[in-house]
Amino acid sequence: MSEPNAAALDQLGASVSARRRFLRRFLRQRPALYALGFLVLLALGAVFAPWVAPHDPLAQNLDRVLEAPSFDHFFGTDELGRDVASRTLFAARISLLAAFQAVVIALLIGVPPGLVAGLFGGQTDNLIMRITDALMSFPPLILAVAIIAVLGPSLTNAMIAVGILLSPTFLRLMRGTAMAVAQETYVEAARSIGCSQSWIITRHILPNVVSPLFVQISVFAGVAMLAEAGLSFLGLGAQPPDSSWGAMVGRGFRYISHSPSLIVFPGLAIAVTVLAFYVLGDGLRDSLGREVRREQ
Amino acid sequence: MSAPLLEVEDLAVEFLTDHGWVRVVDGVSFSVGAGETLGLVGESGSGKTVTSLSVMQLIPRPPGRIAGGSIRFEGRELLGLPEHELEALRGEAIAMVFQESMTSLNPAFTIGDQIGEVVRRHRGVSRREARVRALEVLELVQIPDPEARIDAYPHEFSGGMRQRAAIAMALACDPKLLIADEPTTALDVTVQAQVLDLLRSLQQRLGMGILFVTHNLGVVADLCDRVTVMYAGRIVETANVFDLFEGPQHPYTEGLLQAMPQLGERGKRLAAIPGTPPMPWQMPDGCRFHPRCPYAEAACAQQDVMLTELGEGRSARCRRVHELDLKGAE
Amino acid sequence: MTAPLLSVENLEVTFKIRGGLLRPTRKLKAVNGVSFHIAPGETLAVVGESGSGKSTVARAVMRLVAPSAGRIDLDGDDITAMQGEALRRIRPKLQMVFQDPYSSLDPSMIIADVVGEPLTVHGAATGAERDRRVQDLLEQVGLGRYHMNRYPHEFSGGQRQRIAIARAIALSPKLLVLDEAVSALDVSTQNQILNLLEDLRRELGIAYLFISHDLGVVEHIADRVAVTYLGRIVEEGPTERIFAKPAHPYTEALLSAVPVPNPRIQRSRKRIVLPGDVPSPLAPPSGCPFHTRCPHVMNVCRGEMPSHEPVAGGGSVACYLGRQ
C-alpha cells in the first residue's frame, strides 16, 4: 500500500507540468495561434523594416504623387510620392513601441497599488479605490488631452497619458485577483507552517496573480494601439518625420476623396493588429480558464 | 414483475477532453421498476452522475455526447427525442433532485412561486391552483408552517429545509420516476436521517420509482431495494440489496464493503483498496479493476470481461465470479 | 497523568458579521466556552455537525483566528495571544492538514517546494539536504522521489492529502490538527490515509486533534471524543464509552442517525430522528443549545447551560437528564 501502484504510475507518466498543459491547450486555440503568428511576423517586419521594405519610406518622388496601388508601389504613394507600403511597415515600429510603452506604464502605475489594496484591505484599500474612482470619473479623452497639454505633444507623452488612463483597470484586476488568492486555503496553509507575510506574498500570491494579468496585457495592447491611433490622428501623438499608423490616417484623411488607399492600408493595419491582440487575449484566457475549472 | 418504468441499455457517454473524446460511461444497462428504489453506487469518477444526467439528457453538450445505447421510459425511447418533448417530461413524469439544492432553486423567486411555476408549465392550471398545489407538496415534505414558508426565499431556508423544498418541487407534478443524485451528501447526518425517512414514506404513498445515486453504502443499506455498482465507467455488479451486502460477487464491491469504517470496530487496521481509480483516458486493458484487485490473475489483464448473469436479477463483471468466495458486510 | 501537550480552557471565538445598509453588524459566537486537553501522542476527535464550531476550534488552536476569550497552552507555552516572531517559532510544534486537498496546495509550486517549504521557512534544511529530507518525507507517506518535480494538479485527491501530510510532518510536530482531513476523499482512498495516520502516530508519537463529522472514522481513530453542538462541547469521554453508552441525548441521536452499511441491521435497529435543523449560531437558543430538538427536554433546560459533570466510564456530560 505504501508503494504507488501501476495505475498511479501510468497516470503520472502521462501527465505534464502546468506550463506544458497550458501550452498544449493554447496550441489547440487556432484563432489565437494565427493572431500570435501575425503579431510575431509584424514585430519581425517592424524590426527588420530597413531590410524588408521595398522603398525608403522618406524618399520623395514628386512626379508620382497620390498614385493608386500598382506593381511598383503595392499600397500606392502619398502626397509627396513616398511609398505607402514602406511607410506602413516603418510606422508599425512606432505603433507597436507606443502600445508597449502605454502598457508598461499602465502596469507600473496600476499593479503595485492594486496588490496593496487587495492584500491589505481596510482603510488602505478604501483610499486607493477612491483615488481610482476619481481618476476614472474624468472623461478619458479630455484627461488625455490635458495630460498632453501639460507634458507637451510627443508620442511618449501621449502614451504616458494612455498608460495613466488604462492603469485603473489593471489596478482593479490586481486588487480582485489578490483578494481572491489571499482567501485560498493554501495561503492559510502557508500561515499555518509559519511563513512570514513577505514570504507569502512573494511565493504564494504573486505567482498566482500573474496569469489573469497576461490576458489583460494582450487586450490592453490592442486598446493602447487604438488610443495611440486616435491621438495621432488628432495630431497629439507621433510628430513628423516619425509616423505611426494613426498619424498616417490623419494625414491621408485630407486626400480621402482623391486617394482612399492612403487611409485604407494603415487603417487596415490598425484594425487587424488590434483584432489580433484581442483574439490572442481571448485564447490566453480560455487556456488559463480551463486550468482553473479542471478536475471536475 | 411488470415492464420496468425506466430501462437503460448499453448506454455510452463521451466527453471531449485534453485527451480527445473519452468514454466515461461504457455499456451501462439497468432498469428501475415502479415503486422500486435502485441505488447507483460508485466513487467519484465512476460515471454514476453522468449516467443519471444522461437519462434526462442533461449532460452539457458540448463537451459531452451520448455515443450510443437506448434509454426507454415506459417503453418510449428518450434518446433522439426533440428538446421540447424532453422538456415536457422533465419535472413532469421524471423529476430530479441534486446534491446542492441551492443550484436548483432560483434565489430571486419565492419557494411557492418556483413550485407553482413548475405546476403551471406542465399542467396549465391557474396561478391560484398552482399555489394550492405548492402548499400541498410543501406539506407533503413536512415543511413546518407551510402557509408562512411558501412565500420565503431559498436563502431564508436552512440546508435541510432547502433540500425538502427541492424535493417538494420535484414532486409537484406527481412524477413516476425520481432521479436523486447524492441528495443527502451535503446534509448533516441528523438531517440526512430525516430526508431518508421522508423519501421512504413518500415512495410508499406515491409509488414512484427512484434512481438513487450515491457513494454512501450506509444510505444504500437504508433505502434501496436493488443496487448497481459502477467502477471506471462500467457496471461491475447488480444485485438485490440484501444479497449484495451479504455476498458480493465482485472484488470491487467486496473492497467497498470492507472499507466502510463501521461503528463498533475500533483499532483494527482498516481495509483499503490499494491505488486509485484510473483516469478515463487511461483505462487498463482487460478488467478495469485488475490493477487494484487482490484476486487478479494474468488473464484478467488481457481479455475484456463481460457481465455474467447469476440468476434472480444478479450479475457481476468478473472472470473468477464462480471461483471466488467474497466477504460481505458484517 | 502526564502534563497535557495542549490544553484549551474556556475558549471563545467571536466573528463579526458585517451588516449591510439596513442590517446592523452582528456578532457570531462560533465557539462558546470550550475546554479540552490532549496528552502527548493522544488522538482527540472533535465531532459535530455544521454550525458546531468544530473547524473554528481547529483554526483557533492553530492561531489562524484570534480567540476572543479563554486560554490555549501548547507544551507549556501560553499561545493565546502570541504574535509575529514568537508565534512563528512555536509553529514547528503545531501543524495542520486541511480538508480540501485541491485548494490547500499552492498550484504554482512543484511538490519538492510544497513539502520542503516548512524546512526552508524555518531554516531547517537547504539545497541538497532539503531535497534529501523531502524525499524521505515523501517515502514516509507512500510517495516517491519521482513525484518531486510534479505539480499538485497532477495528483489524485488521496495523493494530494499524502503530500499535505508529508508537509505537515516535515518539522516533526508534536501536535497535528486534522480538519476533516479525510472527508473529501472516496472510501477506498480514505482508509489508506487513515492507516497512514495510524502508522505515523505509532512511529513518530504525534498527537492528533481530529476534527470530523464522520462518526465511523472517529470511532476508528480517536482515543477520546468531544461532541460539539452550536459552539459548545456537550459531551466528552473515552471513545469506547461514548459509542457504547452515550450520555447526552444529542450524542445518542447522532450515533443512531449514522446509517449502518448493512441492510438487515440498518432496517431493524431503533433510530432517533431528531426534528428540525440545527439553530443558527447567530441566534442560539437560551440554556442548553440542544433543547429545541431534544426528545427529553425539560423546563430547566431552557434556563441555564448545564455544567459538565463526570460520567461513569469516563469523561463528562453537560445535560440535566438524570440529575437532581
Side-chain angles (χ1 to χ4, degrees):
Chain A
M1 208 215 57
S2 57
E3 271 157 10
N5 70 330
L9 277 177
D10 284 354
Q11 182 198 332
L12 291 168
S15 64
V16 286
S17 79
R19 225 161 282 140
R20 271 181 60 194
R21 236 163 107 104
F22 165 76
L23 207 63
R24 196 164 59 186
R25 282 207 189 103
F26 183 71
L27 290 178
R28 212 174 288 142
Q29 312 262 348
R30 277 285 159 72
L33 277 181
Y34 291 138
L36 183 67
F38 170 79
L39 290 171
V40 168
L41 278 180
L42 183 70
L44 288 175
V47 170
F48 297 107
W51 293 275
V52 184
H55 297 272
D56 178 350
L58 298 176
Q60 303 181 2
N61 182 350
L62 296 174
D63 291 338
R64 303 185 62 176
V65 295
L66 298 175
E67 277 185 16
S70 66
F71 196 73
D72 278 354
H73 299 284
F74 297 123
F75 293 177
T77 58
D78 69 3
E79 74 279 11
L80 295 173
R82 297 176 295 195
D83 179 49
V84 175
S86 304
R87 290 185 62 74
T88 306
L89 196 54
F90 271 86
R93 295 178 139 192
I94 308 284
S95 290
L96 285 175
L97 190 67
F100 177 77
Q101 279 178 337
V103 169
V104 168
I105 287 165
L107 283 172
L108 288 178
I109 300 176
V111 171
L115 277 176
V116 169
L119 293 178
F120 293 96
Q123 288 306 315
T124 323
D125 178 32
N126 257 336
L127 182 72
I128 292 174
M129 292 323 286
R130 292 300 81 78
I131 295 173
T132 312
D133 290 345
L135 194 64
M136 283 182 100
S137 60
F138 275 104
L141 193 62
I142 294 179
L143 190 64
V145 172
I147 294 170
I148 294 164
V150 173
L151 299 174
S154 82
L155 186 62
T156 305
N157 290 346
M159 287 304 104
I160 290 174
V162 173
I164 292 172
L165 284 172
L166 294 183
S167 61
T169 310
F170 279 126
L171 195 152
R172 279 163 188 273
L173 177 74
M174 275 300 94
R175 172 176 177 265
T177 321
M179 270 179 171
V181 172
Q183 299 285 323
E184 291 279 353
T185 315
Y186 59 80
V187 172
E188 192 168 47
R191 279 212 286 147
S192 82
I193 63 163
C195 296
S196 64
Q197 199 66 23
S198 59
W199 176 279
I200 290 175
I201 292 174
T202 53
R203 298 302 175 99
H204 293 287
I205 294 179
L206 286 182
N208 288 298
V209 298
V210 291
S211 314
L213 201 56
F214 277 110
V215 176
Q216 202 63 34
I217 285 174
S218 180
V219 171
F220 269 14
V223 175
M225 185 163 278
L226 272 183
E228 181 277 331
L231 289 170
S232 292
F233 176 87
L234 296 174
L236 297 170
Q239 303 299 320
D242 279 348
S243 194
S244 70
W245 290 333
M248 287 177 72
V249 175
R251 289 168 64 88
F253 197 65
R254 284 174 252 160
Y255 308 97
I256 190 164
S257 55
H258 208 92
S259 183
S261 64
L262 267 187
I263 63 163
V264 165
F265 290 108
L268 215 57
I270 295 170
V272 173
T273 310
V274 170
L275 186 70
F277 276 121
Y278 287 175
V279 170
L280 177 64
D282 271 356
L284 287 173
R285 177 175 13 242
D286 287 353
S287 329
L288 288 171
R290 253 188 285 165
E291 177 73 23
V292 178
R293 265 176 275 147
R294 121 232 82 120
E295 314 280 1
Q296 292 309 316
Chain B
M1 208 174 82
S2 59
L5 199 58
L6 175 75
E7 284 175 288
V8 173
E9 228 179 278
D10 222 15
L11 179 71
V13 185
E14 300 182 338
F15 274 82
L16 186 59
T17 70
D18 286 349
H19 305 266
W21 283 102
V22 162
R23 191 161 280 210
V24 296
V25 169
D26 193 9
V28 163
S29 307
F30 60 86
S31 66
V32 183
E36 181 190 49
T37 303
L38 175 74
L40 191 58
V41 178
E43 297 180 87
S44 49
S46 62
K48 61 185 190 303
T49 292
V50 171
T51 301
S52 74
L53 288 174
S54 299
V55 172
M56 281 276 70
Q57 292 165 53
L58 287 172
I59 56 167
R61 282 175 291 184
R65 70 175 179 206
I66 293 177
S70 152
I71 298 171
R72 286 185 302 277
F73 179 70
E74 297 186 305
R76 176 178 173 211
E77 178 62 53
L78 299 186
L79 287 183
L81 223 52
E83 188 60 28
H84 69 271
E85 286 186 43
L86 283 170
E87 271 167 23
L89 274 174
R90 284 182 201 141
E92 223 283 290
I94 306 178
M96 291 198 73
V97 180
F98 298 95
Q99 172 172 348
E100 194 27 79
S101 48
M102 207 55 198
T103 53
S104 46
L105 296 173
N106 187 333
F109 297 97
T110 65
I111 298 287
D113 282 350
Q114 294 188 55
I115 299 174
E117 167 69 22
V118 175
V119 181
R120 291 203 298 143
R121 194 171 68 223
H122 290 296
R123 296 277 158 89
V125 297
S126 73
R127 213 170 258 280
R128 179 177 309 192
E129 283 169 289
R131 191 176 162 89
V132 169
R133 177 64 187 155
L135 207 56
E136 258 172 44
V137 287
L138 286 176
E139 253 162 59
L140 192 65
V141 298
Q142 295 158 24
I143 283 188
D145 197 7
E147 284 89 356
R149 300 295 192 139
I150 192 168
D151 295 316
Y153 288 89
H155 71 264
E156 298 175 68
F157 276 23
S158 68
M161 293 273 278
R162 271 205 293 272
Q163 199 55 284
R164 280 167 192 267
I167 293 173
M169 190 152 96
L171 297 179
C173 294
D174 293 318
K176 292 176 173 153
L177 176 69
L178 180 70
I179 301 175
D181 187 357
E182 304 265 12
T184 61
T185 304
L187 304 176
D188 284 321
V189 271
T190 57
V191 181
Q192 167 175 288
Q194 297 168 3
V195 172
L196 291 177
D197 270 16
L198 174 68
L199 281 174
R200 198 187 351 264
S201 73
L202 287 174
Q203 186 177 36
Q204 276 160 11
R205 283 167 62 185
L206 308 173
M208 61 192 170
I210 300 181
L211 175 61
F212 197 96
V213 182
T214 184
H215 71 283
N216 188 332
L217 286 172
V219 172
V220 170
D222 189 80
L223 192 71
C224 298
D225 302 312
R226 286 190 308 123
V227 188
T228 286
V229 183
M230 285 186 76
Y231 180 77
R234 284 187 175 167
I235 288 178
V236 294
E237 180 166 3
T238 298
N240 170 297
V241 67
F242 296 102
D243 293 343
L244 186 100
F245 279 81
E246 260 153 44
Q249 294 295 318
H250 194 282
Y252 176 65
T253 317
E254 181 193 46
L256 278 185
L257 289 172
Q258 297 303 316
M260 283 296 290
Q262 294 182 15
L263 294 180
E265 253 199 41
R266 167 136 171 77
K268 223 165 70 181
R269 199 166 175 78
L270 289 166
I273 304 173
T276 46
M279 294 292 149
W281 53 87
Q282 289 165 328
M283 288 302 178
D285 287 336
C287 171
R288 288 180 176 177
F289 186 59
H290 86 262
R292 304 177 71 193
C293 181
Y295 310 104
E297 301 174 324
C300 295
Q302 284 147 21
Q303 70 220 54
D304 233 2
V305 188
M306 297 294 126
L307 276 171
T308 310
E309 292 297 333
L310 300 166
E312 294 172 33
R314 294 206 73 168
S315 56
R317 192 188 291 273
C318 178
R319 272 185 61 250
R320 306 186 60 194
V321 64
H322 296 297
E323 308 163 38
L324 297 177
D325 184 21
L326 304 175
K327 261 202 315 206
E330 283 130 48
Chain C
M1 204 178 111
T2 50
L5 172 67
L6 176 79
S7 108
V8 173
E9 293 298 337
N10 284 316
L11 180 72
E12 282 184 21
V13 181
T14 311
F15 294 114
K16 267 190 198 146
I17 308 292
R18 272 257 213 118
L21 197 61
L22 298 170
R23 255 187 275 171
T25 300
R26 288 183 293 177
K27 279 191 175 170
L28 186 156
K29 211 171 239 187
V31 177
N32 192 354
V34 161
S35 307
F36 58 87
H37 306 270
I38 300 179
E42 185 188 40
T43 300
L44 172 73
V46 175
V47 301
E49 299 181 282
S50 51
S52 67
K54 58 187 190 300
S55 283
T56 310
V57 168
R59 295 175 67 232
V61 167
M62 285 305 296
R63 286 297 324 278
L64 293 169
V65 294
S68 48
R71 181 183 162 117
I72 305 169
D73 288 273
L74 177 75
D75 206 15
D77 293 315
D78 180 356
I79 64 166
T80 322
M82 254 186 200
Q83 291 290 339
E85 194 51 35
L87 189 58
R88 253 170 53 75
R89 223 168 293 128
I90 63 107
R91 287 281 184 212
K93 292 183 186 174
L94 180 66
Q95 294 284 303
M96 179 160 177
V97 176
F98 294 81
Q99 170 172 10
D100 180 4
Y102 289 92
S103 63
S104 64
L105 306 179
D106 188 336
S108 68
M109 276 189 166
I110 59 168
I111 299 312
D113 291 335
V114 169
V115 176
E117 190 175 29
L119 298 170
T120 313
V121 170
H122 289 281
T126 52
E129 163 68 10
R130 190 204 70 157
D131 283 353
R132 200 187 52 72
R133 295 267 292 272
V134 168
Q135 198 179 314
D136 288 348
L137 286 164
L138 287 176
E139 274 161 21
Q140 212 164 358
V141 298
L143 297 169
R145 59 183 300 179
Y146 46 86
H147 292 115
M148 283 173 65
N149 292 317
R150 306 199 173 275
Y151 286 88
H153 76 255
E154 300 171 46
F155 294 86
S156 67
Q159 288 173 316
R160 282 170 178 236
Q161 212 55 313
R162 285 173 193 268
I163 293 164
I165 291 170
R167 169 181 159 100
I169 61 170
L171 296 167
S172 314
K174 296 189 171 178
L175 177 68
L176 196 55
V177 176
L178 299 148
D179 185 9
E180 299 274 12
V182 297
S183 36
L185 307 176
D186 280 316
V187 260
S188 72
T189 27
Q190 173 176 303
N191 287 7
Q192 297 173 7
I193 301 297
L194 289 171
N195 286 337
L196 170 65
L197 290 171
E198 203 68 63
D199 292 345
L200 291 175
R201 174 162 71 154
R202 238 195 345 267
E203 288 158 23
L204 310 172
I206 311 178
Y208 294 142
L209 173 57
F210 192 91
I211 311 289
S212 180
H213 72 280
D214 188 331
L215 290 156
V217 168
V218 163
E219 175 164 34
H220 183 81
I221 198 155
D223 298 311
R224 285 190 302 122
V225 179
V227 182
T228 54
Y229 189 81
L230 270 183
R232 294 182 185 271
I233 292 182
V234 295
E235 176 169 10
E236 171 275 315
T239 309
E240 272 112 275
R241 201 275 294 157
I242 295 269
F243 281 81
K245 283 176 80 96
H248 197 284
Y250 175 62
T251 314
E252 200 184 4
L254 199 59
L255 287 173
S256 97
V258 181
V260 175
N262 181 326
R264 284 193 208 288
I265 300 174
Q266 172 64 14
R267 289 172 198 210
S268 61
R269 76 193 186 115
K270 179 179 152 280
R271 276 168 296 163
I272 306 162
V273 176
L274 290 177
D277 284 318
V278 181
S280 161
L282 276 168
S286 65
C288 171
F290 186 57
H291 84 246
T292 56
R293 301 172 77 197
C294 183
H296 309 288
V297 63
M298 302 174 285
N299 263 334
V300 60
C301 304
R302 300 188 179 94
E304 284 284 304
M305 170 75 191
S307 61
H308 269 269
E309 300 293 337
V311 178
S316 66
V317 65
C319 181
Y320 289 114
L321 210 63
R323 288 188 199 168
Q324 283 142 344

